[in-house]
Amino acid sequence: MIRRTALRALTTVAVTAALTLPLIQETQAATPDMAAPAAVTTAATGNSDDDNPFSRMELDGLRADFQFMCPTGHCVGFWSLVLTEDVAQQDFTGGKFFVYAPATGEFGFFLDTDIAVRTVERPGQVRLIGTEFMRSHPRVEIRYGDPGQPDRARVVASATTLV
């Protein structure tokens, strides 16, 4: 139990650091309302595709989404991948969503508000950020089913890095 709690705390710190540092350095100043909720979806207008870290990826069932997150009152903008509307509206029952790299059999994490989680239950919770996991695996898949049996889970979306 203590080990799991420590792992979650470490993962949260790592994801927050991975999100905040590059975004503070790269994000051009936007002055959002400080009373905004923790994560506010915004239109990608004003953000060129050059800023989109996923622009050199082939996306199937996923789309790039730009948001602001204000976890400690300091807002930063960031890009993430979310399910497309047509995929998100499909019927999903009896399993969980998880990120999987089929070439290595490794699992990734979703960003749920400002916490890294291995699985999510609803399509609207599927949110991938540009982590080392995404950069080190040429293809990642969003699968739905039992994470204990990833080969039997249904592939619902994928992101492939173009060379």
Side-chain angles (χ1 to χ4, degrees):
M1 181 71 173
I2 292 173
R3 188 173 168 187
R4 179 180 285 167
T5 302
L7 180 59
R8 281 187 178 169
L10 181 60
T11 302
T12 301
V13 169
V15 168
T16 302
L19 265 176
T20 306
L21 184 60
L23 295 173
I24 289 173
Q25 293 171 348
E26 295 176 10
T27 303
Q28 294 181 341
T31 314
D33 181 7
M34 295 309 282
V40 179
T41 302
T42 62
T45 57
N47 299 301
S48 71
D49 283 340
D50 293 340
D51 295 338
N52 178 353
F54 305 109
S55 63
R56 293 188 173 211
M57 296 185 97
E58 181 179 300
L59 304 176
D60 182 19
L62 294 166
R63 66 176 175 79
D65 182 53
F66 188 81
Q67 286 196 338
F68 282 102
M69 181 186 300
C70 307
T72 60
H74 177 71
C75 297
V76 293
F78 69 98
W79 285 95
S80 61
L81 294 176
V82 297
L83 293 175
T84 58
E85 292 298 318
D86 59 322
V87 173
Q89 292 177 0
Q90 294 176 13
D91 183 35
F92 295 103
T93 55
K96 294 185 178 194
F97 292 94
F98 58 95
V99 184
Y100 187 70
T104 62
E106 295 177 88
F107 293 86
F109 291 90
F110 294 115
L111 182 65
D112 188 8
T113 309
D114 61 347
I115 299 170
V117 295
R118 185 171 174 216
T119 63
V120 295
E121 295 183 11
R122 295 185 316 275
Q125 294 175 298
V126 171
R127 182 168 301 279
L128 292 168
I129 57 171
T131 61
E132 182 60 35
F133 179 82
M134 291 287 292
R135 289 186 289 276
S136 64
H137 293 85
R139 179 179 172 87
V140 296
E141 298 174 344
I142 308 302
R143 293 189 178 193
Y144 186 79
D146 179 2
Q149 298 180 334
D151 293 335
R152 292 186 175 184
R154 180 173 93 174
V155 176
V156 297
S158 65
T160 306
T161 303
L162 301 174
V163 181

